[in-house]
Amino acid sequence: MGADEEAERPEPERADGPERQDGPEQQAGPAGLDARDRAVLALEARSWRTAGAKERAVREELGLSSTRYYQLLNGLLDRPEALAHAPVLVNRLRRVRDARRAAR
């Protein structure tokens, strides 16, 4: 490959750059979380008036079972990206989780 061919070849796109062309469901946010991770944190941050409202929202909005939702949420609590994205929420949920573990 000559120097002219090298100059004509486009630069590879960076995965963390703004020119990323993935769909919105796959695109990583500023904190390195994908859209599903951000949606899980956003749903967890909401308040709920009735007992089944949260579980219904998990099924309808995220398309997940309650069990899978809580598995994803628990995994997010250990990620520094989630802490950077929603520090108050993540720290509160970590405290709740730690208190429940200590109570066992």
XYZ file of all heavy atoms in Angstrom:
813
model
N 0.848 -1.162 0.000
C 0.000 0.000 0.000
C 0.894 1.226 0.000
O 1.762 1.368 0.835
C -0.877 -0.039 1.253
C -1.946 0.987 1.210
S -2.978 0.985 2.691
C -3.934 -0.464 2.505
N 0.651 2.147 -0.926
C 1.469 3.343 -1.038
C 1.005 4.426 -0.101
O -0.011 4.335 0.565
N 1.775 5.522 -0.090
C 1.463 6.644 0.787
C 0.147 7.296 0.387
O -0.611 7.757 1.232
C 2.594 7.667 0.756
N -0.154 7.327 -0.943
C -1.407 7.929 -1.398
C -2.612 7.115 -0.918
O -3.621 7.679 -0.511
C -1.437 8.021 -2.930
C -0.406 9.021 -3.434
O -0.049 9.937 -2.661
O 0.029 8.867 -4.578
N -2.499 5.786 -0.983
C -3.594 4.943 -0.536
C -3.810 5.068 0.961
O -4.930 5.048 1.447
C -3.317 3.478 -0.900
C -3.366 3.222 -2.394
C -2.967 1.798 -2.705
O -2.824 0.998 -1.762
O -2.795 1.484 -3.887
N -2.712 5.204 1.698
C -2.804 5.360 3.153
C -3.531 6.645 3.508
O -4.337 6.690 4.420
C -1.394 5.360 3.765
C -1.365 5.361 5.261
C -1.783 4.045 5.876
O -1.560 2.998 5.267
O -2.340 4.077 6.974
N -3.278 7.720 2.778
C -3.889 9.011 3.067
C -5.385 9.007 2.742
O -6.142 9.737 3.368
C -3.190 10.108 2.283
N -5.810 8.207 1.760
C -7.209 8.182 1.363
C -8.079 7.322 2.281
O -9.283 7.482 2.302
C -7.333 7.654 -0.072
C -6.767 8.611 -1.099
C -6.832 8.032 -2.487
O -7.582 7.056 -2.688
O -6.139 8.538 -3.362
N -7.463 6.422 3.023
C -8.226 5.538 3.889
C -8.768 6.335 5.074
O -8.030 7.056 5.726
C -7.331 4.402 4.378
C -8.100 3.247 4.957
C -7.248 2.058 5.192
N -6.186 2.430 6.142
C -5.245 1.607 6.551
N -5.184 0.402 6.084
N -4.342 1.993 7.400
N -10.066 6.238 5.354
C -10.637 7.005 6.467
C -10.117 6.506 7.806
O -9.765 5.341 7.966
C -12.143 6.780 6.350
C -12.267 5.509 5.598
C -11.063 5.428 4.693
N -10.085 7.424 8.763
C -9.657 7.049 10.103
C -10.725 6.174 10.746
O -11.911 6.414 10.556
C -9.477 8.295 10.971
C -8.269 9.104 10.622
C -8.091 10.244 11.613
O -8.343 10.028 12.817
O -7.721 11.317 11.187
N -10.320 5.183 11.516
C -11.321 4.374 12.216
C -12.013 5.232 13.269
O -11.401 6.081 13.896
C -10.505 3.252 12.860
C -9.102 3.715 12.856
C -8.963 4.730 11.767
N -13.315 4.988 13.440
C -14.072 5.744 14.425
C -13.751 5.233 15.811
O -13.587 4.047 16.035
C -15.570 5.593 14.165
C -16.020 6.271 12.905
C -17.521 6.158 12.722
O -18.203 5.721 13.666
O -17.985 6.508 11.648
N -13.687 6.166 16.745
C -13.468 5.805 18.131
C -14.799 5.433 18.750
O -15.809 6.059 18.502
C -12.866 6.976 18.886
C -11.464 7.280 18.452
C -10.897 8.447 19.168
N -11.360 8.505 20.543
C -11.100 9.506 21.358
N -10.404 10.530 20.957
N -11.559 9.513 22.590
N -14.788 4.402 19.583
C -16.031 3.943 20.205
C -16.589 4.958 21.187
O -17.771 4.989 21.454
C -15.798 2.613 20.921
N -15.723 5.812 21.749
C -16.205 6.767 22.741
C -16.420 8.165 22.168
O -16.756 9.077 22.892
C -15.235 6.844 23.916
C -13.836 7.284 23.479
O -13.560 7.288 22.259
O -13.022 7.607 24.345
N -16.270 8.330 20.873
C -16.414 9.645 20.253
C -17.845 9.979 19.923
O -18.710 9.116 19.852
N -18.142 11.252 19.699
C -19.507 11.663 19.401
C -19.973 11.219 18.029
O -21.158 11.218 17.752
C -19.442 13.190 19.493
C -18.012 13.529 19.277
C -17.230 12.357 19.799
N -19.055 10.820 17.145
C -19.446 10.403 15.810
C -19.892 8.955 15.743
O -20.122 8.417 14.682
C -18.309 10.650 14.805
C -17.011 9.943 15.128
C -16.120 10.693 16.106
O -16.362 11.888 16.361
O -15.196 10.096 16.630
N -20.059 8.330 16.872
C -20.486 6.937 16.917
C -21.866 6.804 16.288
O -22.764 7.571 16.574
C -20.517 6.488 18.383
C -20.746 5.027 18.532
C -20.573 4.653 19.974
N -21.050 3.297 20.133
C -20.974 2.628 21.235
N -20.439 3.151 22.283
N -21.433 1.413 21.309
N -22.067 5.792 15.450
C -23.292 5.650 14.679
C -24.187 4.518 15.145
O -25.073 4.112 14.428
C -22.941 5.442 13.192
C -22.195 6.602 12.579
C -23.005 7.887 12.595
O -24.188 7.869 12.297
N -22.392 8.993 12.948
N -23.959 3.994 16.338
C -24.821 2.931 16.846
C -26.209 3.479 17.112
O -26.409 4.676 17.272
C -24.264 2.374 18.160
C -22.974 1.612 17.966
O -22.635 1.266 16.816
O -22.317 1.377 18.965
N -27.177 2.572 17.189
C -28.531 2.975 17.528
C -28.577 3.482 18.959
O -27.678 3.224 19.753
N -29.623 4.209 19.325
C -29.686 4.777 20.665
C -29.713 3.725 21.772
O -29.269 3.977 22.867
C -30.985 5.587 20.653
C -31.758 5.100 19.489
C -30.771 4.528 18.523
N -30.216 2.532 21.457
C -30.255 1.508 22.482
C -28.887 0.919 22.762
O -28.675 0.291 23.780
C -31.236 0.389 22.108
C -30.853 -0.417 20.880
C -31.204 0.251 19.560
O -31.906 1.256 19.563
O -30.749 -0.244 18.517
N -27.935 1.100 21.869
C -26.598 0.563 22.055
C -25.580 1.633 22.406
O -24.497 1.321 22.843
C -26.130 -0.152 20.770
C -26.966 -1.349 20.410
C -26.914 -2.437 21.455
O -25.877 -2.701 22.028
N -28.056 -3.041 21.730
N -25.903 2.881 22.210
C -24.950 3.956 22.367
C -24.616 4.174 23.838
O -25.494 4.254 24.680
C -25.517 5.230 21.770
C -24.476 6.267 21.509
C -25.026 7.355 20.620
O -26.214 7.535 20.515
N -24.147 8.060 19.979
N -23.336 4.261 24.119
C -22.893 4.492 25.483
C -23.052 5.964 25.819
O -22.846 6.836 24.986
C -21.430 4.081 25.647
N -23.452 6.224 27.028
C -23.626 7.597 27.478
C -22.312 8.174 27.960
O -21.265 7.542 27.876
N -22.364 9.375 28.495
C -21.147 10.026 28.941
C -20.462 9.285 30.075
O -19.262 9.386 30.241
C -21.618 11.407 29.387
C -23.090 11.309 29.547
C -23.546 10.192 28.676
N -21.207 8.520 30.845
C -20.610 7.790 31.957
C -20.195 6.375 31.564
O -19.799 5.592 32.394
C -21.588 7.738 33.125
N -20.318 6.007 30.281
C -19.932 4.684 29.822
C -21.015 3.635 29.996
O -20.744 2.456 29.864
N -22.225 4.045 30.293
C -23.337 3.110 30.435
C -24.139 3.093 29.152
O -24.315 4.124 28.517
C -24.250 3.549 31.584
C -23.613 3.631 32.965
C -24.591 4.231 33.949
C -23.156 2.271 33.424
N -24.662 1.929 28.770
C -25.518 1.898 27.591
C -26.931 2.337 27.980
O -27.227 2.616 29.144
C -25.500 0.522 26.923
C -26.053 -0.602 27.787
O -26.768 -0.316 28.758
O -25.776 -1.766 27.473
N -27.800 2.427 26.999
C -29.142 2.960 27.213
C -29.937 2.101 28.203
O -30.685 2.638 29.028
C -29.887 3.065 25.886
N -29.782 0.783 28.151
C -30.520 -0.083 29.076
C -30.070 0.157 30.510
O -30.896 0.239 31.420
C -30.337 -1.551 28.710
C -31.145 -2.465 29.636
C -30.997 -3.906 29.314
N -29.628 -4.315 29.604
C -29.185 -5.548 29.475
N -29.965 -6.488 29.034
N -27.943 -5.844 29.764
N -28.757 0.298 30.721
C -28.251 0.561 32.068
C -28.783 1.883 32.607
O -29.211 1.966 33.759
C -26.720 0.591 32.071
C -26.100 -0.753 31.745
O -26.783 -1.789 31.905
O -24.928 -0.774 31.318
N -28.783 2.907 31.768
C -29.312 4.212 32.188
C -30.811 4.128 32.465
O -31.312 4.743 33.405
C -29.009 5.277 31.132
C -27.517 5.601 31.038
C -27.240 6.816 30.172
N -27.870 6.787 28.865
C -27.349 6.255 27.766
N -26.158 5.707 27.810
N -28.009 6.296 26.623
N -31.538 3.341 31.668
C -32.981 3.185 31.877
C -33.270 2.457 33.188
O -34.224 2.806 33.891
C -33.603 2.432 30.703
N -32.460 1.463 33.528
C -32.630 0.743 34.794
C -32.430 1.707 35.961
O -33.229 1.743 36.903
C -31.662 -0.462 34.884
C -31.585 -1.016 36.301
C -32.071 -1.553 33.913
N -31.387 2.515 35.899
C -31.135 3.473 36.975
C -32.239 4.526 37.047
O -32.675 4.899 38.145
C -29.775 4.139 36.781
C -28.558 3.238 36.996
C -27.285 3.949 36.604
C -28.490 2.760 38.430
N -32.709 4.977 35.904
C -33.785 5.982 35.889
C -35.069 5.415 36.475
O -35.767 6.091 37.235
C -34.014 6.485 34.471
N -35.379 4.179 36.143
C -36.592 3.559 36.666
C -36.477 3.364 38.173
O -37.440 3.589 38.915
C -36.842 2.227 35.966
C -38.231 1.663 36.190
C -38.910 1.422 34.849
C -38.146 0.373 36.951
N -35.309 2.987 38.631
C -35.113 2.774 40.064
C -35.191 4.093 40.840
O -35.587 4.109 42.004
C -33.759 2.096 40.312
C -33.535 1.661 41.728
C -34.531 0.615 42.213
O -35.033 -0.184 41.396
O -34.794 0.580 43.435
N -34.867 5.191 40.210
C -34.892 6.496 40.876
C -36.307 7.041 41.057
O -36.521 7.934 41.874
C -34.052 7.491 40.081
N -37.262 6.501 40.301
C -38.644 6.985 40.392
C -39.313 6.486 41.663
O -38.912 5.479 42.236
C -39.444 6.516 39.174
C -38.980 7.218 37.918
C -39.441 6.643 36.621
N -40.770 6.070 36.546
C -41.199 5.376 35.499
N -40.417 5.174 34.455
N -42.416 4.882 35.482
N -40.344 7.211 42.088
C -41.129 6.760 43.238
C -42.402 6.099 42.721
O -42.883 6.418 41.632
C -41.458 7.930 44.158
O -42.173 8.910 43.454
N -42.946 5.183 43.517
C -44.076 4.367 43.086
C -45.209 4.487 44.077
O -45.007 4.387 45.277
C -43.627 2.911 42.930
C -42.458 2.820 42.019
C -41.153 2.734 42.376
C -42.480 2.889 40.595
N -40.362 2.725 41.259
C -41.148 2.816 40.143
C -43.491 2.990 39.653
C -40.807 2.848 38.800
C -43.152 3.026 38.313
C -41.821 2.949 37.903
N -46.424 4.669 43.579
C -47.597 4.848 44.435
C -48.229 3.537 44.853
O -48.761 3.426 45.954
C -48.649 5.694 43.717
C -48.198 7.102 43.527
C -49.286 7.911 42.891
N -48.791 9.249 42.644
C -49.554 10.297 42.544
N -50.861 10.174 42.626
N -49.038 11.474 42.323
N -48.226 2.560 43.992
C -48.874 1.282 44.323
C -47.855 0.151 44.284
O -46.778 0.288 43.691
C -50.017 0.965 43.347
O -49.492 0.841 42.029
C -51.080 2.055 43.373
N -48.230 -0.964 44.885
C -47.311 -2.088 45.050
C -46.824 -2.670 43.723
O -45.649 -2.955 43.551
C -47.971 -3.172 45.883
N -47.702 -2.854 42.760
C -47.305 -3.504 41.516
C -46.883 -2.565 40.405
O -46.541 -3.023 39.306
N -46.891 -1.268 40.663
C -46.589 -0.301 39.604
C -45.162 -0.440 39.086
O -44.914 -0.343 37.880
C -46.836 1.120 40.092
N -44.217 -0.652 39.979
C -42.819 -0.767 39.567
C -42.601 -2.017 38.719
O -41.963 -1.952 37.662
C -41.913 -0.796 40.794
C -40.444 -0.835 40.466
C -39.647 -0.769 41.746
C -38.178 -0.764 41.508
N -37.432 -0.705 42.773
N -43.132 -3.137 39.154
C -42.979 -4.377 38.399
C -43.626 -4.269 37.025
O -43.088 -4.755 36.039
C -43.560 -5.559 39.177
C -42.706 -6.008 40.348
C -42.736 -5.061 41.538
O -43.678 -4.232 41.638
O -41.813 -5.126 42.357
N -44.773 -3.609 36.961
C -45.450 -3.397 35.680
C -44.600 -2.511 34.767
O -44.446 -2.790 33.584
C -46.829 -2.780 35.913
C -47.684 -2.686 34.688
C -49.124 -2.265 34.934
N -49.364 -1.420 36.111
C -49.820 -1.847 37.297
N -50.069 -3.115 37.487
N -50.023 -1.009 38.292
N -44.009 -1.465 35.326
C -43.146 -0.572 34.537
C -41.903 -1.311 34.041
O -41.451 -1.085 32.918
C -42.758 0.647 35.360
N -41.352 -2.177 34.859
C -40.181 -2.966 34.449
C -40.526 -3.811 33.233
O -39.779 -3.856 32.258
C -39.676 -3.848 35.621
C -38.692 -4.900 35.135
C -39.055 -2.994 36.708
N -41.686 -4.474 33.279
C -42.107 -5.316 32.145
C -42.404 -4.477 30.908
O -41.979 -4.804 29.807
C -43.341 -6.135 32.525
C -43.048 -7.369 33.327
C -44.277 -8.272 33.422
N -45.509 -7.561 33.774
C -45.934 -7.322 35.007
N -45.222 -7.744 36.019
N -47.068 -6.685 35.214
N -43.173 -3.407 31.076
C -43.635 -2.626 29.928
C -42.538 -1.746 29.321
O -42.420 -1.662 28.105
C -44.829 -1.755 30.332
C -46.064 -2.567 30.646
C -47.199 -1.725 31.196
O -47.035 -0.488 31.345
O -48.263 -2.300 31.492
N -41.767 -1.085 30.160
C -40.782 -0.127 29.656
C -39.456 -0.767 29.281
O -38.807 -0.337 28.332
C -40.548 0.974 30.689
C -41.775 1.814 30.941
C -41.566 2.848 32.038
O -40.407 3.233 32.283
O -42.573 3.254 32.630
N -39.043 -1.758 30.042
C -37.737 -2.379 29.796
C -37.833 -3.756 29.150
O -36.840 -4.264 28.634
C -36.953 -2.489 31.110
C -36.689 -1.186 31.859
C -35.973 -1.465 33.167
C -35.897 -0.224 31.001
N -39.016 -4.370 29.217
C -39.173 -5.700 28.646
C -38.405 -6.761 29.412
O -37.939 -7.737 28.834
N -38.278 -6.581 30.727
C -37.526 -7.505 31.569
C -38.435 -8.088 32.635
O -39.400 -7.453 33.057
C -36.379 -6.773 32.271
C -35.312 -6.111 31.412
C -34.399 -5.256 32.280
C -34.504 -7.167 30.678
N -38.080 -9.275 33.097
C -38.757 -9.807 34.273
C -38.213 -9.072 35.495
O -37.127 -8.476 35.452
C -38.493 -11.305 34.417
O -37.141 -11.533 34.745
N -38.942 -9.118 36.587
C -38.480 -8.459 37.815
C -37.155 -9.048 38.285
O -36.263 -8.314 38.731
C -39.527 -8.597 38.924
O -40.672 -7.860 38.600
N -37.025 -10.356 38.170
C -35.782 -11.008 38.597
C -34.596 -10.500 37.795
O -33.555 -10.145 38.366
C -35.902 -12.539 38.444
O -37.015 -12.985 39.226
C -34.643 -13.239 38.887
N -34.732 -10.450 36.479
C -33.633 -9.982 35.635
C -33.330 -8.513 35.901
O -32.174 -8.100 35.906
C -33.972 -10.196 34.149
C -32.865 -9.804 33.218
C -31.638 -10.677 33.424
N -30.573 -10.246 32.555
C -29.291 -10.223 32.904
N -28.913 -10.643 34.093
N -28.372 -9.806 32.062
N -34.363 -7.718 36.137
C -34.179 -6.299 36.452
C -33.305 -6.138 37.697
O -32.348 -5.363 37.704
C -35.548 -5.643 36.669
C -35.480 -4.263 37.252
C -35.192 -3.165 36.455
C -35.709 -4.049 38.604
C -35.127 -1.888 36.992
C -35.651 -2.783 39.146
C -35.356 -1.699 38.341
O -35.291 -0.449 38.880
N -33.631 -6.870 38.746
C -32.862 -6.745 39.980
C -31.452 -7.316 39.842
O -30.518 -6.831 40.482
C -33.615 -7.369 41.158
C -34.756 -6.493 41.601
C -36.070 -6.866 41.375
C -34.522 -5.259 42.199
C -37.120 -6.046 41.756
C -35.557 -4.432 42.578
C -36.857 -4.827 42.352
O -37.890 -4.001 42.715
N -31.274 -8.312 38.996
C -29.920 -8.811 38.717
C -29.087 -7.722 38.041
O -27.930 -7.484 38.404
C -29.966 -10.047 37.828
C -30.474 -11.283 38.515
C -30.693 -12.434 37.544
O -30.799 -12.248 36.327
N -30.784 -13.638 38.083
N -29.673 -7.062 37.038
C -28.965 -5.983 36.349
C -28.679 -4.823 37.291
O -27.572 -4.264 37.292
C -29.787 -5.490 35.151
C -29.916 -6.447 33.979
C -30.918 -5.904 32.969
C -28.570 -6.664 33.324
N -29.664 -4.457 38.089
C -29.488 -3.351 39.027
C -28.382 -3.652 40.023
O -27.520 -2.811 40.282
C -30.805 -3.074 39.756
C -30.769 -1.957 40.796
C -30.418 -0.625 40.146
C -32.098 -1.875 41.520
N -28.374 -4.861 40.569
C -27.333 -5.237 41.525
C -25.951 -5.182 40.881
O -24.987 -4.725 41.502
C -27.616 -6.628 42.090
C -26.745 -6.940 43.272
O -26.583 -6.121 44.169
N -26.185 -8.129 43.292
N -25.838 -5.616 39.648
C -24.560 -5.530 38.948
C -24.133 -4.089 38.696
O -22.955 -3.752 38.772
N -25.105 -3.243 38.405
C -24.797 -1.824 38.178
C -24.250 -1.151 39.425
O -23.411 -0.251 39.336
C -26.047 -1.072 37.716
C -26.420 -1.214 36.253
C -27.790 -0.611 35.994
C -25.382 -0.558 35.367
N -24.719 -1.567 40.588
C -24.279 -0.935 41.829
C -22.785 -1.105 42.068
O -22.181 -0.315 42.797
C -25.058 -1.496 43.016
C -26.551 -1.226 43.019
C -27.183 -1.777 44.284
C -26.853 0.240 42.848
N -22.192 -2.109 41.450
C -20.759 -2.360 41.621
C -19.907 -1.701 40.541
O -18.684 -1.817 40.576
C -20.489 -3.867 41.633
C -21.158 -4.551 42.818
O -21.218 -3.934 43.903
O -21.625 -5.693 42.660
N -20.529 -1.021 39.604
C -19.784 -0.415 38.494
C -19.482 1.055 38.756
O -20.375 1.823 39.111
C -20.574 -0.546 37.198
C -20.682 -1.992 36.739
C -21.428 -2.162 35.468
N -20.920 -1.320 34.402
C -21.574 -1.106 33.264
N -22.748 -1.656 33.062
N -21.055 -0.331 32.334
N -18.237 1.467 38.572
C -17.887 2.873 38.775
C -18.602 3.804 37.797
O -18.877 4.956 38.122
C -16.369 2.922 38.579
C -15.979 1.620 38.001
C -17.074 0.637 38.263
N -18.963 3.295 36.614
C -19.685 4.125 35.647
C -21.066 4.502 36.173
O -21.532 5.623 35.964
C -19.849 3.395 34.303
C -18.571 3.012 33.628
C -18.104 1.607 33.984
O -18.581 1.020 34.970
O -17.233 1.083 33.270
N -21.720 3.563 36.849
C -23.041 3.845 37.421
C -22.919 4.858 38.550
O -23.747 5.760 38.676
C -23.684 2.563 37.926
N -21.876 4.738 39.344
C -21.649 5.691 40.424
C -21.406 7.087 39.869
O -21.914 8.071 40.397
C -20.464 5.241 41.284
C -20.137 6.114 42.483
C -21.314 6.148 43.461
C -18.882 5.621 43.169
N -20.672 7.181 38.775
C -20.421 8.481 38.149
C -21.698 9.056 37.539
O -21.909 10.270 37.557
C -19.339 8.346 37.076
N -22.565 8.192 37.028
C -23.800 8.630 36.368
C -24.850 9.098 37.374
O -25.513 10.114 37.163
C -24.362 7.495 35.517
C -25.637 7.830 34.820
N -25.690 8.675 33.750
C -26.912 7.440 35.074
C -26.949 8.791 33.351
N -27.708 8.053 34.138
N -25.025 8.368 38.461
C -26.060 8.688 39.457
C -25.509 8.415 40.854
O -25.897 7.433 41.504
C -27.309 7.861 39.199
N -24.621 9.261 41.350
C -23.946 8.967 42.623
C -24.876 8.879 43.831
O -24.706 8.006 44.671
C -22.939 10.109 42.781
C -23.380 11.170 41.847
C -24.146 10.501 40.755
N -25.855 9.756 43.926
C -26.751 9.733 45.081
C -27.571 8.449 45.097
O -27.673 7.767 46.128
C -27.659 10.986 45.089
C -28.695 10.897 46.201
C -26.826 12.245 45.224
N -28.143 8.093 43.960
C -28.949 6.881 43.849
C -28.114 5.639 44.136
O -28.503 4.780 44.932
C -29.574 6.778 42.455
C -30.324 5.488 42.152
C -31.574 5.378 43.019
C -30.679 5.419 40.678
N -26.964 5.529 43.495
C -26.130 4.334 43.648
C -25.643 4.196 45.084
O -25.686 3.099 45.656
C -24.959 4.353 42.642
C -23.962 3.249 42.944
C -25.490 4.214 41.220
N -25.212 5.278 45.706
C -24.754 5.186 47.094
C -25.893 4.802 48.033
O -25.699 4.012 48.957
C -24.114 6.505 47.539
C -22.700 6.637 47.023
O -21.965 5.659 46.939
N -22.312 7.842 46.664
N -27.095 5.337 47.803
C -28.247 4.966 48.631
C -28.569 3.485 48.486
O -28.771 2.771 49.473
C -29.470 5.798 48.259
C -30.707 5.447 49.076
C -31.891 6.318 48.735
N -32.315 6.224 47.345
C -33.100 5.271 46.865
N -33.550 4.315 47.652
N -33.452 5.266 45.598
N -28.580 2.997 47.235
C -28.882 1.585 46.999
C -27.790 0.674 47.558
O -28.083 -0.422 48.046
C -29.088 1.334 45.509
C -30.320 2.011 44.905
C -30.330 1.849 43.400
C -31.598 1.483 45.525
N -26.546 1.104 47.514
C -25.462 0.323 48.118
C -25.652 0.212 49.624
O -25.444 -0.855 50.203
C -24.107 0.963 47.820
C -23.607 0.748 46.418
C -22.288 1.466 46.224
N -21.728 1.210 44.906
C -20.585 1.743 44.482
N -19.893 2.559 45.253
N -20.147 1.459 43.270
N -26.038 1.321 50.268
C -26.273 1.292 51.714
C -27.414 0.344 52.064
O -27.315 -0.438 53.023
C -26.578 2.695 52.240
C -25.369 3.581 52.371
C -25.680 4.849 53.165
N -26.807 5.604 52.624
C -26.714 6.544 51.687
N -25.535 6.842 51.166
N -27.786 7.190 51.280
N -28.497 0.382 51.297
C -29.636 -0.514 51.532
C -29.194 -1.964 51.365
O -29.512 -2.828 52.190
C -30.803 -0.168 50.591
C -31.883 -1.237 50.628
C -31.379 1.203 50.931
N -28.457 -2.229 50.292
C -27.991 -3.593 50.030
C -27.076 -4.090 51.160
O -27.221 -5.212 51.641
C -27.245 -3.632 48.693
C -26.721 -5.011 48.324
C -26.011 -5.017 46.992
N -24.790 -4.224 47.034
C -23.955 -4.085 46.013
N -24.222 -4.662 44.864
N -22.865 -3.377 46.123
N -26.164 -3.223 51.591
C -25.241 -3.617 52.666
C -25.970 -3.854 53.985
O -25.637 -4.776 54.726
C -24.152 -2.548 52.845
C -23.215 -2.474 51.646
O -23.190 -3.430 50.836
O -22.507 -1.446 51.521
N -26.991 -3.034 54.270
C -27.765 -3.219 55.506
C -28.524 -4.538 55.461
O -28.605 -5.240 56.476
C -28.731 -2.056 55.684
N -29.073 -4.884 54.318
C -29.798 -6.163 54.200
C -28.858 -7.343 54.346
O -29.212 -8.362 54.948
C -30.543 -6.231 52.874
C -31.743 -5.318 52.854
C -32.508 -5.432 51.574
N -33.675 -4.563 51.604
C -34.316 -4.136 50.537
N -33.919 -4.520 49.340
N -35.349 -3.345 50.660
N -27.659 -7.218 53.784
C -26.676 -8.310 53.934
C -26.249 -8.468 55.375
O -26.083 -9.582 55.873
C -25.454 -8.032 53.059
C -25.666 -8.298 51.606
C -24.412 -8.055 50.808
N -24.626 -8.323 49.395
C -23.811 -7.946 48.433
N -22.695 -7.300 48.724
N -24.070 -8.236 47.181
N -26.069 -7.361 56.067
C -25.635 -7.419 57.469
C -26.725 -7.992 58.364
O -26.424 -8.621 59.389
C -25.250 -6.013 57.947
N -27.972 -7.791 57.975
C -29.096 -8.285 58.786
C -29.271 -9.796 58.680
O -29.935 -10.406 59.508
C -30.389 -7.592 58.364
N -28.674 -10.403 57.688
C -28.816 -11.867 57.521
C -28.008 -12.638 58.511
O -27.033 -12.361 59.010
C -28.362 -12.287 56.115
C -29.311 -11.845 55.064
C -28.907 -12.436 53.739
N -29.367 -11.571 52.665
C -28.859 -11.539 51.467
N -27.872 -12.331 51.138
N -29.331 -10.751 50.557
